[in-house]
Amino acid sequence: MARAKLASFLAAVAVLLLLAPSRAAARHHHHEPEDPCRHGGSGHRCSSPGVSPNKGGGGTPAVMTVNGNGDLIAALSTGWFAGGRRCHKPIRITSVRTGRSVVARVVDECDSRHGCKNNIVDTSKAVWDALGLDTDVGVVPVTWSDA
């Protein structure tokens, strides 16, 4: 049931992305609205700030969900996506359960202002496989950092 809901949600997102003008075109013609998560927001709950890697191997605690792509890719909650500044950038994801790490490329935002929960790292099945995790679980604890 959860997979059917996720597949339906991803299909709806794909349709919206195809119908929406590109962000680059929108920025070129119109002033981009202020990100409500950038400075604490105006009533919006935002993801905690992401952190850079440290010598201790830690990272920002998150919940990882799965999407259907076969590449090592991820979508980050709105605050972590940072208005697109992390788009196409690598992040290191570490499984709390297995201790394995993998580097994935951020390709999208999991929009926390329109239904996506905060502190989400939505990743492809390939990331789950690399971390030695079963996608049937659906949600697992991870940490992540800029790679």
Side-chain angles (χ1 to χ4, degrees):
M1 181 71 161
R3 284 194 148 182
K5 285 183 181 179
L6 179 60
S8 181
F9 171 75
L10 291 174
V13 169
V15 169
L16 289 174
L17 289 173
L18 289 172
L19 295 175
S22 77
R23 290 180 62 98
R27 271 196 293 271
H28 180 45
H29 297 292
H30 303 287
H31 174 66
E32 182 93 11
E34 178 71 19
D35 181 354
C37 295
R38 187 170 299 141
H39 301 292
S42 56
H44 293 284
R45 272 191 48 133
C46 300
S47 300
S48 59
V51 297
S52 295
N54 62 39
K55 293 182 185 190
T60 301
V63 175
M64 188 169 76
T65 56
V66 65
N67 66 45
N69 193 298
D71 298 324
L72 293 170
I73 59 170
L76 295 176
S77 295
T78 297
W80 293 340
F81 189 67
R85 287 186 298 281
R86 280 202 173 92
C87 195
H88 303 292
K89 304 281 194 239
I91 61 171
R92 178 171 304 284
I93 304 166
T94 303
S95 168
V96 171
R97 293 186 181 163
T98 66
R100 292 186 191 175
S101 290
V102 66
V103 174
R105 184 155 312 275
V106 175
V107 297
D108 203 357
E109 171 186 16
C110 183
D111 193 342
S112 302
R113 294 168 290 196
H114 295 99
C116 181
K117 294 181 179 180
N118 288 307
N119 302 333
I120 296 291
V121 177
D122 185 36
T123 63
S124 61
K125 182 179 182 317
V127 171
W128 286 66
D129 291 344
L131 295 174
L133 299 169
D134 180 3
T135 58
D136 288 337
V137 174
V139 177
V140 295
V142 295
T143 61
W144 74 274
S145 62
D146 295 312

